[in-house]
Amino acid sequence: MSKQLAVEQLAIADWVKGLASIPDRAFSLENVQDYIIHHAVRPETLEKYLFFSKGNYTRNLIFKNDLFECMTICWEVGQHSRIHNHRDQNCWMSAPIGRLKIQNFRVEQKDAACGTCKIVPTEIYEMDGAHPVHVNPLEPVHQVLNLPEFNQRAVSIHVYSKPFDSCEVYQRERGTYGDVPLHYTSEYGKLHPDEKLL
Ligand SMILES: [Fe+2]
């Protein structure tokens, strides 16, 4: 049974303005998810934040304050993230362009002193413009994939609260994990000067 939902279509600037108007104390997993479910981004307003590279997916900052950051991630066909966590921060995602697969993992063992871990795949789901998702705080390790068979570019919008600039990346086969710094390909519509898009 599908539920009829009133979804307002907003330009990205208005969408972010709406998010930023949520008070700090109300910026909860549920409230932000509710906002994202009821407010979609018009894909044509994202142009300034779209940078694609054959080398890797790109991270493009749209807005940042002390409470949250918002970015597009642009995925060529077949590109995927590494398996990672979000430093115990909340994350909400939607994909106004294309579609993406999310694979979650359960961490069964983790040894910080040795940098070893054992992770097992759990839930798989898909997101697109009509199906935003949030990261489950109880199982926060995941991977995002633009599968070759989707056969199209994808652009996702990510909201992280609070912002973080590194994450843990897991190498499943090797049973290891470690810290990886994060950077932006572009900020506020401007490509980073050192960035060479392939
Ligand atoms: Fe993520």
Side-chain angles (χ1 to χ4, degrees):
M1 201 167 62
S2 72
K3 209 167 64 177
Q4 281 302 313
L5 205 72
V7 179
E8 205 179 337
Q9 305 282 330
L10 297 177
I12 183 65
D14 295 324
W15 192 84
V16 170
K17 229 182 260 175
L19 256 188
S21 72
I22 302 173
D24 289 25
R25 65 182 180 285
F27 213 85
S28 64
L29 197 60
E30 298 71 25
N31 283 350
V32 175
Q33 179 71 1
D34 194 57
Y35 176 85
I36 291 175
I37 287 172
H38 289 95
H39 301 84
V41 174
R42 288 185 204 281
E44 70 274 16
T45 65
L46 284 171
E47 205 173 345
K48 204 173 144 184
Y49 308 108
L50 303 187
F51 294 93
F52 287 90
S53 173
K54 297 261 181 250
N56 203 4
Y57 64 84
T58 68
R59 303 171 84 245
N60 306 286
L61 184 67
I62 299 170
F63 179 88
K64 188 175 188 172
N65 62 16
D66 289 342
L67 180 63
F68 74 93
E69 64 183 329
C70 173
M71 71 188 70
T72 63
I73 298 188
C74 301
W75 313 83
E76 287 283 6
V77 179
Q79 286 181 336
H80 58 81
S81 74
R82 290 182 282 182
I83 302 172
H84 64 281
N85 74 354
H86 286 163
R87 293 271 178 230
D88 295 329
Q89 301 307 309
N90 281 334
C91 166
W92 303 263
M93 304 180 265
S94 65
I97 299 172
R99 55 200 264 239
L100 290 161
K101 187 178 108 164
I102 320 283
Q103 169 74 62
N104 283 352
F105 294 86
R106 186 173 61 243
V107 179
E108 297 216 314
Q109 255 177 272
K110 202 170 163 185
D111 185 331
C114 306
T116 55
C117 64
K118 179 168 191 269
I119 59 169
V120 290
T122 54
E123 253 191 306
I124 286 185
Y125 47 98
E126 255 185 60
M127 69 171 171
D128 59 22
H131 301 92
V133 301
H134 64 269
V135 170
N136 177 355
L138 300 175
E139 203 169 272
V141 174
H142 61 276
Q143 182 177 33
V144 180
L145 307 98
N146 185 11
L147 296 179
E149 59 259 39
F150 292 167
N151 205 24
Q152 60 179 329
R153 284 175 161 180
V155 176
S156 45
I157 295 181
H158 299 240
V159 176
Y160 300 122
S161 180
K162 299 188 166 155
F164 52 90
D165 58 10
S166 73
C167 68
E168 283 176 357
V169 163
Y170 298 74
Q171 295 86 25
R172 189 180 161 204
E173 272 74 38
R174 274 189 278 160
T176 56
Y177 77 101
D179 273 8
V180 168
L182 296 167
H183 75 283
Y184 304 118
T185 309
S186 72
E187 293 183 37
Y188 311 112
K190 271 217 176 88
L191 192 64
H192 192 280
D194 298 337
E195 200 62 55
K196 287 180 185 55
L197 297 177
L198 300 174

